[in-house]
Amino acid sequence: MQVIRAVGREAAAKKYDLLSAMMAHGLAGDKHRQRLVLRLMALITTRYNWQRDELTIGQREIARLWCVDERTVKREMAKLRALGWIEIKQQGARGRVSVLGLNLERILLDTKAEWENIGPDFVTRLTGAAPESVSNVVPLHRAEPVAAEGVWGEAQARLAAEDRALFDAWFAGLAEAGVRDGCLTLFAPTRFHASYVETHLLERLRIAVQRSDGSIVKLRVLGP
């Protein structure tokens, strides 16, 4: 999958591709998903700075745009943060609003199942001709998948469905070591493996785990 960067000569087409993916995802869901996606699309099309990856708008302005009260804005924005679709880049303080950014990779992962609804040309354009590749780094040790149940088992299923190649390379070999005080600890087969996951893939791991159990607020990946 190619992560969309809406810059350069094809910037306009890339923006439409992202919005089209979101639209297809929303239309395939229930009314709650449709409304949430539509509201985010409204923010993107009216206030999002594509070049700087910045969304700067106050809750009062969002409420006016969405035709809702500010409590609804807080609730809906919390949902979008929990999904990983928006991130806080700079926390607001002293009367200044927070600066938000979009996690384009997360949005594309979550909408991928509905790309076919747009058409095979759209799928080809977003996936590219080459096989999926997130990194040129290859793990030094390819561990056999460790069967898991419960929260980690559910999270593994989500990660495998999102990107099978990435799952086989980095997530399949992680073993659950338990949950304590809202922290899930995972063991990796090597220290390099643990370091790479924590450095490059922890956010994707966190979202998969929290979608399985929202009470888990912290993750640790340890090596031998």
Coordinates of all heavy atoms in Angstrom, one line a residue, residues 29-72:
G29 N -20.8 1.6 5.9 CA -21.1 1.3 7.3 C -22.4 1.8 7.7 O -23.3 2.2 6.9
D30 N -22.7 1.8 9.0 CA -24.0 2.2 9.5 C -24.1 3.7 9.6 O -23.1 4.4 9.3 CB -24.3 1.6 10.9 CG -23.2 1.9 11.9 OD1 -22.5 2.9 11.8 OD2 -23.1 1.2 12.9
K31 N -25.2 4.2 10.1 CA -25.4 5.7 10.1 C -24.4 6.4 11.0 O -24.0 7.6 10.8 CB -26.8 6.0 10.5 CG -27.1 5.6 12.0 CD -28.6 6.0 12.3 CE -28.9 5.6 13.8 NZ -30.3 5.9 14.1
H32 N -23.9 5.7 12.1 CA -22.9 6.3 13.0 C -21.6 6.5 12.3 O -20.9 7.5 12.4 CB -22.8 5.5 14.2 CG -24.1 5.3 14.9 ND1 -24.8 6.3 15.6 CD2 -24.9 4.1 15.1 CE1 -25.9 5.8 16.1 NE2 -26.0 4.5 15.8
R33 N -21.1 5.4 11.6 CA -19.9 5.6 10.8 C -20.0 6.6 9.7 O -19.1 7.4 9.5 CB -19.5 4.2 10.2 CG -18.1 4.3 9.5 CD -17.9 3.2 8.5 NE -17.8 1.9 9.0 CZ -17.6 0.8 8.3 NH1 -17.5 0.9 7.0 NH2 -17.5 -0.4 8.9
Q34 N -21.1 6.6 9.0 CA -21.3 7.6 7.9 C -21.2 9.0 8.4 O -20.6 9.8 7.8 CB -22.7 7.3 7.3 CG -22.8 6.0 6.5 CD -24.2 5.7 6.0 OE1 -25.1 6.6 6.1 NE2 -24.4 4.6 5.4
R35 N -21.8 9.3 9.6 CA -21.8 10.6 10.1 C -20.4 11.0 10.6 O -20.0 12.2 10.3 CB -22.8 10.7 11.3 CG -23.0 12.1 11.9 CD -24.3 12.1 12.7 NE -24.2 11.0 13.7 CZ -25.3 10.5 14.4 NH1 -26.5 11.0 14.0 NH2 -25.1 9.6 15.3
L36 N -19.7 10.1 11.2 CA -18.4 10.4 11.7 C -17.4 10.7 10.6 O -16.7 11.7 10.6 CB -17.9 9.2 12.6 CG -16.5 9.5 13.2 CD1 -16.6 10.6 14.3 CD2 -16.0 8.2 13.9
V37 N -17.5 9.9 9.5 CA -16.6 10.1 8.4 C -16.9 11.4 7.7 O -16.1 12.1 7.3 CB -16.7 8.9 7.4 CG1 -16.0 9.2 6.1 CG2 -16.1 7.6 8.1
L38 N -18.2 11.7 7.5 CA -18.7 12.9 6.9 C -18.2 14.1 7.6 O -17.7 15.1 7.0 CB -20.2 12.9 6.7 CG -20.8 14.2 6.1 CD1 -20.3 14.5 4.7 CD2 -22.3 14.2 6.1
R39 N -18.2 14.1 8.9 CA -17.8 15.2 9.7 C -16.3 15.4 9.6 O -15.8 16.6 9.5 CB -18.2 15.0 11.2 CG -19.7 15.2 11.4 CD -20.1 14.7 12.8 NE -21.5 15.2 13.1 CZ -22.3 14.8 14.1 NH1 -21.7 13.9 15.0 NH2 -23.5 15.2 14.2
L40 N -15.5 14.3 9.6 CA -14.1 14.5 9.4 C -13.8 15.0 8.0 O -12.9 15.9 7.8 CB -13.3 13.2 9.6 CG -11.8 13.2 9.4 CD1 -11.2 14.3 10.3 CD2 -11.2 11.9 9.6
M41 N -14.5 14.5 7.0 CA -14.3 15.0 5.6 C -14.6 16.5 5.5 O -13.9 17.3 4.8 CB -15.2 14.2 4.6 CG -14.7 12.8 4.4 SD -15.8 11.8 3.4 CE -15.5 12.6 1.8
A42 N -15.6 17.0 6.3 CA -15.9 18.4 6.3 C -14.7 19.2 6.9 O -14.4 20.3 6.3 CB -17.2 18.6 7.1
L43 N -14.1 18.7 7.9 CA -12.9 19.4 8.5 C -11.8 19.4 7.5 O -11.1 20.4 7.3 CB -12.5 18.7 9.8 CG -13.4 18.8 11.0 CD1 -12.9 18.1 12.2 CD2 -13.7 20.3 11.3
I44 N -11.6 18.3 6.8 CA -10.5 18.2 5.9 C -10.6 19.1 4.7 O -9.7 19.9 4.3 CB -10.3 16.7 5.3 CG1 -9.9 15.8 6.5 CG2 -9.3 16.7 4.2 CD1 -9.9 14.3 6.1
T45 N -11.8 19.2 4.1 CA -12.1 20.0 2.9 C -12.1 21.5 3.3 O -11.9 22.3 2.4 CB -13.3 19.6 2.2 OG1 -14.4 19.6 3.1 CG2 -13.2 18.2 1.7
T46 N -12.4 21.8 4.5 CA -12.5 23.3 4.8 C -11.4 23.8 5.6 O -11.1 25.0 5.4 CB -13.8 23.5 5.7 OG1 -13.7 22.7 6.9 CG2 -15.1 23.1 4.9
R47 N -10.7 23.0 6.4 CA -9.7 23.6 7.3 C -8.3 22.9 7.3 O -7.4 23.4 7.9 CB -10.2 23.6 8.7 CG -11.3 24.7 8.9 CD -10.7 26.1 8.8 NE -11.7 27.1 9.1 CZ -12.4 27.7 8.2 NH1 -12.2 27.4 6.9 NH2 -13.3 28.6 8.5
Y48 N -8.2 21.8 6.6 CA -6.9 21.0 6.7 C -5.9 21.6 5.8 O -6.1 21.8 4.6 CB -7.2 19.5 6.4 CG -6.0 18.7 6.4 CD1 -5.3 18.5 7.6 CD2 -5.5 17.9 5.3 CE1 -4.2 17.7 7.7 CE2 -4.4 17.1 5.4 CZ -3.8 17.0 6.6 OH -2.7 16.2 6.7
N49 N -4.7 21.8 6.3 CA -3.5 22.2 5.5 C -2.7 21.0 5.1 O -2.0 20.4 5.9 CB -2.6 23.2 6.3 CG -1.5 23.8 5.5 OD1 -0.8 23.1 4.7 ND2 -1.2 25.0 5.7
W50 N -2.8 20.6 3.8 CA -2.3 19.4 3.3 C -0.7 19.4 3.4 O -0.1 18.4 3.7 CB -2.7 19.1 1.9 CG -4.2 18.8 1.8 CD1 -5.2 19.6 1.6 CD2 -4.8 17.5 1.8 NE1 -6.4 19.0 1.5 CE2 -6.1 17.6 1.7 CE3 -4.2 16.2 2.0 CZ2 -7.0 16.6 1.7 CZ3 -5.1 15.1 2.0 CH2 -6.5 15.3 1.9
Q51 N -0.1 20.5 3.0 CA 1.3 20.6 2.9 C 2.0 20.5 4.3 O 3.0 19.9 4.5 CB 1.7 21.9 2.2 CG 1.4 22.0 0.8 CD 2.0 23.2 0.1 OE1 2.1 24.2 0.7 NE2 2.3 23.1 -1.2
R52 N 1.3 21.1 5.3 CA 1.9 21.1 6.7 C 1.3 20.0 7.5 O 1.8 19.8 8.7 CB 1.7 22.5 7.3 CG 2.4 23.6 6.5 CD 2.0 25.0 7.1 NE 2.5 25.1 8.5 CZ 2.3 26.2 9.2 NH1 1.6 27.2 8.7 NH2 2.7 26.2 10.5
D53 N 0.3 19.3 7.0 CA -0.4 18.3 7.8 C -0.8 18.9 9.1 O -0.5 18.4 10.2 CB 0.5 17.1 8.1 CG -0.2 16.0 9.0 OD1 -1.4 15.9 8.8 OD2 0.5 15.3 9.7
E54 N -1.6 19.9 9.0 CA -2.1 20.6 10.2 C -3.6 20.9 10.1 O -4.1 21.4 9.0 CB -1.4 21.9 10.4 CG 0.0 21.8 10.9 CD 0.7 23.1 11.2 OE1 0.1 24.1 11.0 OE2 1.9 23.0 11.6
L55 N -4.3 20.6 11.1 CA -5.7 21.0 11.2 C -5.9 21.8 12.5 O -5.8 21.3 13.6 CB -6.6 19.7 11.3 CG -8.1 19.9 11.5 CD1 -8.7 20.6 10.3 CD2 -8.8 18.5 11.7
T56 N -6.1 23.1 12.3 CA -6.2 24.0 13.4 C -7.6 24.7 13.4 O -7.8 25.6 12.6 CB -5.1 25.1 13.3 OG1 -3.8 24.4 13.2 CG2 -5.1 26.0 14.6
I57 N -8.4 24.3 14.3 CA -9.8 24.9 14.4 C -10.3 24.6 15.8 O -10.1 23.5 16.4 CB -10.7 24.2 13.3 CG1 -12.1 24.8 13.4 CG2 -10.7 22.7 13.4 CD1 -13.0 24.4 12.2
G58 N -11.0 25.5 16.4 CA -11.5 25.4 17.7 C -12.8 24.6 17.8 O -13.5 24.5 16.8
Q59 N -13.2 24.2 19.0 CA -14.4 23.4 19.1 C -15.6 24.2 18.8 O -16.6 23.6 18.2 CB -14.5 22.8 20.6 CG -13.4 21.8 20.9 CD -13.6 21.2 22.3 OE1 -14.4 21.7 23.1 NE2 -12.8 20.2 22.6
R60 N -15.6 25.5 19.1 CA -16.8 26.3 18.8 C -17.0 26.4 17.3 O -18.1 26.3 16.8 CB -16.6 27.7 19.3 CG -17.8 28.6 19.1 CD -17.6 29.9 19.8 NE -17.4 29.8 21.3 CZ -17.0 30.8 22.1 NH1 -16.9 32.0 21.6 NH2 -16.9 30.5 23.3
E61 N -15.9 26.5 16.5 CA -16.0 26.6 15.0 C -16.4 25.3 14.5 O -17.2 25.2 13.5 CB -14.7 27.0 14.5 CG -14.3 28.5 14.7 CD -13.9 28.8 16.2 OE1 -13.5 27.8 16.8 OE2 -14.0 29.9 16.6
I62 N -15.9 24.2 15.0 CA -16.3 22.8 14.6 C -17.8 22.6 14.8 O -18.5 22.1 14.0 CB -15.5 21.7 15.3 CG1 -14.0 21.8 14.9 CG2 -16.0 20.3 14.9 CD1 -13.1 20.9 15.7
A63 N -18.2 23.0 16.0 CA -19.7 22.9 16.3 C -20.5 23.6 15.3 O -21.6 23.1 14.9 CB -19.9 23.4 17.7
R64 N -20.1 24.8 14.9 CA -20.9 25.6 14.0 C -20.9 24.9 12.6 O -21.9 24.8 12.0 CB -20.3 27.0 13.9 CG -21.1 27.9 12.9 CD -20.7 29.4 13.0 NE -19.3 29.5 12.6 CZ -18.3 30.0 13.5 NH1 -18.6 30.2 14.7 NH2 -17.1 30.1 13.1
L65 N -19.7 24.4 12.2 CA -19.6 23.7 10.9 C -20.5 22.5 10.9 O -21.2 22.2 9.9 CB -18.2 23.4 10.6 CG -17.9 22.6 9.3 CD1 -18.3 23.3 8.1 CD2 -16.4 22.2 9.3
W66 N -20.5 21.7 12.0 CA -21.2 20.4 12.0 C -22.7 20.6 12.4 O -23.4 19.7 12.4 CB -20.5 19.5 13.1 CG -19.2 18.9 12.6 CD1 -18.6 19.1 11.4 CD2 -18.4 18.1 13.4 NE1 -17.4 18.4 11.4 CE2 -17.2 17.8 12.6 CE3 -18.4 17.6 14.7 CZ2 -16.2 17.0 13.1 CZ3 -17.4 16.8 15.2 CH2 -16.3 16.5 14.4
C67 N -23.0 21.8 12.9 CA -24.4 22.1 13.3 C -24.8 21.2 14.5 O -25.8 20.6 14.6 CB -25.4 21.9 12.2 SG -25.2 23.0 10.8
V68 N -23.8 21.2 15.5 CA -24.0 20.4 16.7 C -23.6 21.3 17.9 O -23.0 22.4 17.7 CB -23.3 19.1 16.7 CG1 -23.8 18.2 15.6 CG2 -21.8 19.3 16.6
D69 N -23.7 20.8 19.1 CA -23.2 21.5 20.3 C -21.7 21.0 20.5 O -21.2 20.1 20.0 CB -24.0 21.3 21.5 CG -24.2 19.8 21.9 OD1 -23.3 19.0 21.7 OD2 -25.3 19.4 22.3
E70 N -21.0 21.7 21.4 CA -19.6 21.5 21.7 C -19.4 20.1 22.4 O -18.3 19.5 22.3 CB -19.0 22.6 22.5 CG -18.9 23.9 21.7 CD -18.1 25.0 22.4 OE1 -17.1 24.6 23.0 OE2 -18.5 26.1 22.4
R71 N -20.4 19.6 23.1 CA -20.3 18.3 23.8 C -20.2 17.2 22.7 O -19.4 16.3 22.8 CB -21.4 18.1 24.7 CG -21.4 18.9 26.0 CD -22.5 18.5 26.9 NE -23.8 18.8 26.2 CZ -25.0 18.5 26.8 NH1 -25.1 17.8 28.0 NH2 -26.1 18.7 26.1
T72 N -21.0 17.4 21.6 CA -20.9 16.4 20.5 C -19.6 16.5 19.8 O -19.0 15.5 19.5 CB -22.0 16.7 19.5 OG1 -23.3 16.6 20.2 CG2 -22.0 15.7 18.4

